[in-house]
Amino acid sequence: MTSICILYRPASKVHYVFIHFFIPPGICSSPLKVEHEIRNMSNFLKSIINISESFSAVEKAIRDDFIPALFGEEQATPDNFRKLLALPVKHAGIALPNPTVSGPANHKASILVCSHLLAAFRGTTEFCTVDHLSVRREVFQELQKRKNVECSESLASSLLLMPVETRRTIRRGKETGMWLTLAPSTVNGTELSSQEFRDHLFLRYDREPPDLPSHCDGCLAKFDICHALQCKKGGLVIMRHNEIKDELCDLLTKALVPSAVRDEPRIYPCRPAVPPPQKEPDPVRRINSLVDDDRGDILVRGFWARGTDCIIDVRVTNTDAKSQRHKDPDKILSQHEREKKRKYLEPCLKQRRHFTPFVVSTDGLLGREATVFLKRLASVLSDKWHQPYSVVCGFVRSRMSIAIARATHLCLRGSRVPTSQMCNRRPLWEDRAGLGLHH
């Protein structure tokens, strides 16, 4: 743990300010604790002018110790990458600002926000709470607009020096960083292990974890991130799909009642799931039987409208796969949604059912239908819990973001070795005498 003490005397030369910060590079699995310390530090930057240079030791600890420990590296952080990480999460950063740069802007913003209050102190105007709140709100809105423009320009300048594929991944990070803003909590189900956090951070910035195996333990092919997210050996891709589906089921049972949620409903409920056996196999009839047994992932009653069913079908795709890396990520998700609708929408509408394709990427990018679905889910939960919609919407999106991060980590670190190859000590019995060993 790095401890930094600063004894500073403001320009008034009346008193000293003693500042003590802790930067824990090796203990913290999330930058939230460091961000909390920096928020405390920003109070001094807002209150005292010309203090930014005094925080050079803090910035050195962040650049040389904390960020390398966060990414599992030994060398110091490059300037361009440090500039990127200083951006807010919604601008593809991780909200670790540089205190030596943000000081003057914070001090100026503080003066503007409190301008009516300062004028009342000076006696140039009479204090009015309504006027103070009005000035504060207008200044906040204007400062937010300026900050968004500055962050967009800073992101664009940082991406100029990076490869095209890396730019594509980092730009996508503006919509996939919800998991970075959450405080780890076992009660709320938002905790991530240090390896889960670090792996998803590598994916966010198009980096390959340095400790990945050289070959896949399932198919013995060369192992990299794309292979890990697509290899079907060992069933990890199916488990990734099921984890996201289970998270949706859990949220739906909280919003409605458990009896209104069903697992793997048939798309054609009026036809038998298993056709009667045929004496002579007919290829056409066999294909039709497979279509008749098509199933969705979740059926929920009364979600979009009262007295109607909705079938949800989940799909997880890797937008950085070789066949998709040259396409726009949003268009990739829209294409998968159209494929699902082309296959299942008409049969559902004939039975007075709604159909929602829930398409997400492996790094947490949501399709249009999935976004609308989560908004509706948050609205139902908000009415049931009597909580503000914005709070519940953040809760729903955070739960899905964490579920996707865990599911993606399963494909990167999970074992693909089947149980049949785990043990070679198989009993060789010629009769039933050996079965007595288990009685």
Side-chain angles (χ1 to χ4, degrees):
M1 178 177 291
T2 303
S3 176
I4 300 170
C5 302
I6 299 175
L7 187 63
Y8 180 77
R9 184 174 64 181
S12 59
K13 299 182 180 180
V14 176
H15 61 278
Y16 283 85
V17 178
F18 182 75
I19 310 171
H20 193 187
F21 294 100
F22 294 98
I23 304 296
I27 300 175
C28 181
S29 63
S30 166
L32 288 173
K33 293 183 180 179
V34 177
E35 182 183 356
H36 176 70
E37 295 293 338
I38 292 179
R39 286 180 181 177
N40 295 335
M41 178 171 53
S42 65
N43 295 330
F44 292 96
L45 296 175
K46 293 177 182 178
S47 305
I48 306 172
I49 194 171
N50 299 328
I51 195 179
S52 299
E53 293 300 327
S54 302
F55 289 90
S56 57
V58 178
E59 171 59 21
K60 186 176 185 302
I62 294 175
R63 180 190 295 265
D64 298 342
D65 297 332
F66 177 71
I67 294 179
L70 199 63
F71 284 88
E73 300 175 346
E74 297 182 358
Q75 64 271 20
T77 308
D79 293 339
N80 188 49
F81 192 55
R82 176 67 183 98
K83 182 180 177 183
L84 177 62
L85 298 182
L87 296 175
V89 173
K90 63 180 180 180
H91 289 280
I94 60 174
L96 286 179
N98 187 343
T100 62
V101 175
S102 58
N106 289 339
H107 184 266
K108 183 178 180 181
S110 178
I111 293 177
L112 292 176
V113 170
C114 301
S115 57
H116 179 76
L117 186 62
L118 294 175
F121 284 151
R122 297 188 182 102
T124 58
T125 185
E126 185 177 354
F127 178 76
C128 177
T129 304
V130 177
D131 294 341
H132 172 62
L133 295 178
S134 175
V135 171
R136 186 170 177 266
R137 181 175 59 255
E138 293 176 0
V139 171
F140 267 132
Q141 293 176 354
E142 181 63 26
L143 290 176
Q144 189 63 38
K145 293 179 182 178
R146 295 182 182 180
K147 183 178 180 180
N148 289 334
V149 173
E150 292 176 0
C151 290
S152 299
E153 294 176 352
S154 178
L155 176 61
S157 62
S158 298
L159 295 179
L160 287 176
L161 304 176
M162 299 182 181
V164 177
E165 295 179 359
T166 303
R167 293 184 214 169
R168 179 176 176 270
T169 302
I170 294 178
R171 286 196 186 101
R172 198 165 64 238
K174 295 191 292 185
E175 303 178 29
T176 61
M178 189 69 184
W179 58 278
L180 277 168
T181 63
L182 304 174
S185 171
T186 305
V187 176
N188 296 327
T190 57
E191 73 277 13
L192 290 173
S193 68
S194 59
Q195 192 177 59
E196 288 174 334
F197 184 91
R198 187 173 288 111
D199 283 347
H200 217 57
L201 201 62
F202 276 113
L203 294 179
R204 178 175 174 84
Y205 294 106
D206 194 30
R207 293 187 171 193
E208 187 166 319
D211 54 347
L212 287 180
S214 59
H215 291 82
C216 177
D217 57 352
C219 62
L220 302 181
K222 185 178 179 181
F223 195 82
D224 55 11
I225 291 179
C226 285
H227 180 84
L229 299 179
Q230 295 175 351
C231 182
K232 295 180 174 57
K233 292 288 185 178
L236 296 185
V237 173
I238 298 176
M239 293 175 64
R240 177 184 65 190
H241 168 275
N242 290 341
E243 287 201 6
I244 297 174
K245 182 195 72 172
D246 293 342
E247 185 66 30
L248 277 178
C249 287
D250 182 68
L251 293 173
L252 286 170
T253 54
K254 287 180 171 62
L256 302 170
V257 291
S259 59
V261 183
R262 290 291 182 265
D263 188 31
E264 294 189 355
R266 286 192 310 204
I267 301 296
Y268 302 91
C270 300
R271 302 180 183 180
V274 180
Q278 300 291 329
K279 295 181 179 179
E280 296 181 0
D282 187 354
V284 178
R285 184 175 295 275
R286 182 175 58 84
I287 294 174
N288 290 336
S289 67
L290 293 176
V291 173
D292 295 345
D293 199 32
D294 282 343
R295 293 177 179 268
D297 288 317
I298 306 171
L299 183 142
V300 55
R301 181 76 173 177
F303 183 78
W304 293 111
R306 183 178 301 174
T308 59
D309 294 335
C310 174
I311 292 182
I312 305 150
D313 202 52
V314 179
R315 174 174 288 185
V316 187
T317 182
N318 178 21
T319 54
D320 290 328
K322 292 182 179 180
S323 59
Q324 301 183 142
R325 65 178 54 173
H326 300 296
K327 302 178 183 178
D328 182 76
D330 293 325
K331 293 183 179 179
I332 293 173
L333 300 182
S334 299
Q335 178 183 351
H336 287 289
E337 289 177 346
R338 289 193 298 269
E339 291 178 4
K340 290 286 186 182
K341 286 184 176 181
R342 193 181 305 116
K343 188 175 181 181
Y344 295 137
L345 181 59
E346 185 177 354
C348 289
L349 293 178
K350 288 181 179 179
Q351 301 169 55
R352 204 174 62 84
R353 287 176 166 180
H354 300 278
F355 176 74
T356 300
F358 195 90
V359 182
V360 299
S361 68
T362 54
D363 57 352
L365 186 64
L366 300 175
R368 179 178 176 273
E369 297 281 347
T371 303
V372 175
F373 180 86
L374 292 182
K375 288 181 179 179
R376 172 61 180 170
L377 179 59
S379 177
V380 176
L381 281 171
S382 176
D383 294 339
K384 183 177 181 179
W385 291 347
H386 304 288
Q387 296 292 330
Y389 169 78
S390 59
V391 175
V392 181
C393 189
F395 168 77
V396 171
R397 291 181 66 89
S398 63
R399 286 286 298 269
M400 286 306 307
S401 179
I402 290 291
I404 295 172
R406 292 172 177 167
T408 302
H409 176 265
L410 176 66
C411 292
L412 287 176
R413 302 294 181 175
S415 174
R416 292 177 171 83
V417 180
T419 56
S420 60
Q421 298 180 7
M422 290 183 180
C423 181
N424 294 324
R425 297 180 60 185
R426 302 175 182 175
L428 301 176
W429 297 329
E430 297 181 357
D431 52 16
R432 299 181 181 177
L435 295 179
L437 299 174
H438 298 276
H439 290 296

